[in-house]
Amino acid sequence: MGHGRTTLRTSAAGVVSAALIAGTVVGLAPAAQAASSVRFVDITGDGGTVLKANVVTPAGADGSHNYPLIVLPTSWGLPQVEYLAQAQKLADSGYVVLTYNVRGFWQSGGEIEVAGPPDIADASKVIDWALANTPTDPRHIGMAGVSYGAGISLLAAAHDKRIKAVAALSGWADLIDSIYSGRTQHVQAGALLDGAGVITGRESPELREIFDNFYASNLTKEQEMIDWGRKRSAATYVDQLNKNGAAVLMANAWGDTIFPANSYADFYEKLTVPKRLEMRPGDHATAELTGLFGLPNDVWTDTGRWFDHYLKGADNGIDSEQPVQLKSRSAGGYEGYPDWKSVGATRTKLALAGSTTIHANVDSGADGGIVFLSSILDQVAQLPPVASIPLLPRRWAAVWQSDRYGTAQQVRGTATLHTTLTPTKESGTLIAYLYDVGPLGFGKLVTNAPYTWHGRTPGEPFDVNLDLFSTAYDVPAGHRLALVVDTVDPLYIEHNPSGAQLTFSSPSDDPSYVSVPVREQ
């Protein structure tokens, strides 16, 4: 791992951690002024590890009445004060709220286990402590969290039957599919997590080895990494989660560069419990961020409604609304769907005709952007990454365009690429981009995804079937859709040997295409 990559990992993670912690400190203001009581406590977790925690109880709570409990594990790299603004609001509405710093971070003991078995055992120990030391009703227990806290909450609900409701915000369901999708390392995402872990916590030797193998593209350790990730993925335990019956709310952002939306959407379809899926513009945890400041926030509002219904029995209508709620990156309000499959039920195809050869190892100028920054710009100003489609060098990028659309195309869901690829080397990486192209040829990025292969026979064609990252984007009338494929993107580690070439073809018996899900109007 080179010096340049280490610098990226540390500096980028430091900026992100500092920004989020700053938000947390601002969020303390409402909590400090409120009537509800806040206690900072130590809780003995799994194996005797001390977890730093705080408890917020409703004003006037004296032990004569039991309140529903909400447990909030902290996000990756953030201290236990992260949720105090929201904890105060929940306590004011009649909950006991316990926030704890997950093991390995800040002042909690132990090492970072990445939602491994000790973290899941810790969640149950925290619930045990709350039942013994707070006026908590054991029949009404919920868990929630952002990012790392979301992943731990889902996993804990699969292992502890006492948890009756979960709100998993900007989390993951399949860890490997999130940062290693298409068999490609999402290097900027991994670097941010690694850097934040180094700065704010204590990585275990196992985690350090996982990161090092991840960066080094160590194929001899690939299956070991996959097995490690599966143990830490709620998707592995979906049957247990369904059996335990906790009501599950999941929320994510379309542009999440740490945990892409696809993983949540696939997992949502496998759940048989009461469930709700919300998707909004933004990047990782940015949709929830203003709520950590104590400001009005749709995600946290719906989290409160979810717990009110499933822990308090409030008839607030959240169970009768369409369970899949989407907000387009382009404009407009929320759209409701009965399930995820209905989101992309109607599809249009962009044919990828002819045969095209590109050279590898050079960035064509078509990129997925910069982790966090690009999707935040898209969220607040509708400014996604752009590229001049006519000026993309065809030596390094393959380009196909649709005709101009006579009406607006509301892209909703997961676009899929199918093509026949013939490489000149046994390993390689491609990145597929779908662009909204205006009259002047400037393309705004709609979605993208990487794809890597190893052990292929040079000169022998094979099929590529790739799901691009799920999204909701409105293509204006008079615009085109364009598919661009190249081989280098700073978001990902690429595996193209020097001098490699890729040929894309569309045999008559197996035509190549991009299938784009669109909303019927």
Side-chain angles (χ1 to χ4, degrees):
M1 186 164 48
H3 175 73
R5 182 168 292 162
T6 304
T7 302
L8 164 68
R9 185 173 71 233
T10 304
S11 60
V15 170
V16 173
S17 296
L20 292 178
I21 292 169
T24 299
V25 172
V26 175
L28 279 171
Q33 298 168 1
S36 301
S37 65
V38 181
R39 285 190 293 151
F40 290 85
V41 300
D42 290 350
I43 297 175
T44 301
D46 184 57
T49 297
V50 174
L51 306 174
K52 296 294 182 177
N54 60 69
V55 183
V56 186
T57 54
D62 58 6
S64 61
H65 176 74
N66 285 341
Y67 300 89
L69 169 70
I70 296 177
V71 176
L72 301 169
T74 51
S75 301
W76 184 276
L78 291 187
Q80 57 169 306
V81 297
E82 174 187 5
Y83 300 114
L84 275 182
Q86 285 301 322
Q88 181 63 67
K89 290 185 177 183
L90 290 166
D92 288 346
S93 64
Y95 294 93
V96 171
V97 186
L98 194 156
T99 294
Y100 70 98
N101 227 118
V102 292
R103 65 170 55 225
F105 286 102
W106 293 86
Q107 294 179 325
S108 285
E111 297 175 325
I112 301 171
E113 297 287 345
V114 195
D119 288 306
I120 308 312
D122 283 346
S124 292
K125 292 284 188 181
V126 168
I127 292 172
D128 293 342
W129 186 94
L131 292 174
N133 295 277
T134 68
T136 291
D137 186 341
R139 301 167 300 171
H140 300 103
I141 297 173
M143 282 192 72
V146 175
S147 185
Y148 195 36
I152 290 175
S153 295
L154 280 175
L155 285 159
H159 289 83
D160 193 325
K161 295 180 180 180
R162 296 175 296 180
I163 300 169
K164 303 303 182 185
V166 171
L169 316 178
S170 290
W172 74 93
D174 187 325
L175 188 58
I176 293 300
D177 192 49
S178 294
I179 62 173
Y180 193 55
S181 73
R183 210 178 175 186
T184 309
Q185 296 92 333
H186 298 206
V187 65
Q188 288 190 15
L192 283 171
L193 294 173
D194 187 10
V198 169
I199 293 168
T200 64
R202 297 167 299 282
E203 294 182 345
S204 67
E206 179 186 38
L207 176 57
R208 184 68 262 152
E209 183 180 1
I210 288 289
F211 272 126
D212 290 345
N213 289 331
F214 178 83
Y215 296 132
S217 307
N218 189 344
L219 292 180
T220 64
K221 296 288 186 178
E222 183 181 40
Q223 189 58 50
E224 182 179 312
M225 181 182 73
I226 290 171
D227 293 342
W228 176 88
R230 284 175 177 163
K231 187 182 295 185
R232 291 159 170 81
S233 298
T236 303
Y237 310 100
V238 65
D239 290 342
Q240 290 175 228
L241 187 56
N242 286 332
K243 182 179 178 181
N244 287 351
V248 176
L249 163 67
M250 298 189 298
N252 205 349
W254 294 120
D256 195 320
T257 45
I258 307 292
F259 304 130
N262 302 47
S263 178
Y264 257 17
D266 292 343
F267 182 69
Y268 175 84
E269 286 295 282
K270 298 174 184 176
L271 290 174
T272 58
V273 296
K275 59 184 180 178
R276 182 179 174 97
L277 177 66
E278 300 182 354
M279 297 288 192
R280 300 173 174 86
D283 204 314
H284 183 64
T286 61
E288 299 87 359
L289 185 59
T290 56
L292 298 180
F293 288 73
L295 300 174
N297 180 279
D298 287 353
V299 185
W300 287 105
T301 296
D302 284 348
T303 295
R305 295 175 64 218
W306 192 254
F307 286 135
D308 285 349
H309 180 74
Y310 287 102
L311 297 183
K312 290 183 176 180
D315 185 14
N316 56 17
I318 197 166
D319 59 321
S320 60
E321 297 171 359
Q322 294 275 38
V324 176
Q325 294 286 321
L326 311 182
K327 192 171 187 180
S328 171
R329 291 163 48 199
S330 304
Y334 289 94
E335 303 165 4
Y337 299 84
D339 50 39
W340 177 253
K341 286 183 286 190
S342 299
V343 174
T346 302
R347 307 186 77 88
T348 183
K349 283 188 176 181
L350 166 59
L352 311 180
S355 179
T356 301
T357 297
I358 63 172
H359 293 68
N361 311 119
V362 172
D363 189 340
S364 71
D367 287 324
I370 300 171
V371 66
F372 279 114
L373 177 61
S374 296
S375 292
I376 292 174
L377 285 173
D378 186 39
Q379 177 183 0
V380 301
Q382 295 180 20
L383 294 174
V386 298
S388 174
I389 304 304
L391 296 181
L392 289 176
R394 285 353 188 222
R395 179 179 176 84
W396 315 112
V399 180
W400 297 267
Q401 295 192 73
S402 71
D403 294 330
R404 287 190 174 89
Y405 292 107
T407 59
Q409 303 293 299
Q410 296 184 335
V411 179
R412 300 289 186 272
T414 309
T416 58
L417 164 66
H418 171 75
T419 190
T420 299
L421 172 64
T422 306
T424 60
K425 306 289 184 179
E426 67 172 16
S427 296
T429 298
L430 63 84
I431 304 94
Y433 310 88
L434 190 65
Y435 283 99
D436 160 24
V437 184
L440 298 180
F442 285 101
K444 294 183 177 180
L445 185 65
V446 178
T447 181
N448 76 102
Y451 180 89
T452 292
W453 62 93
H454 298 285
R456 292 289 180 175
T457 302
E460 184 174 305
F462 63 92
D463 287 344
V464 171
N465 293 288
L466 175 62
D467 285 347
L468 278 62
F469 299 138
S470 303
T471 195
Y473 181 96
D474 297 348
V475 179
H479 286 213
R480 309 173 186 262
L481 280 173
L483 181 81
V484 177
V485 180
D486 72 3
T487 62
V488 177
D489 190 309
L491 285 174
Y492 312 112
I493 292 179
E494 53 95 3
H495 301 265
N496 297 293
S498 178
Q501 297 180 34
L502 310 180
T503 297
F504 303 93
S505 57
S506 182
S508 58
D509 60 343
D510 187 21
S512 297
Y513 60 83
V514 177
S515 176
V516 181
V518 293
R519 183 187 184 203
E520 290 187 350
Q521 301 176 53

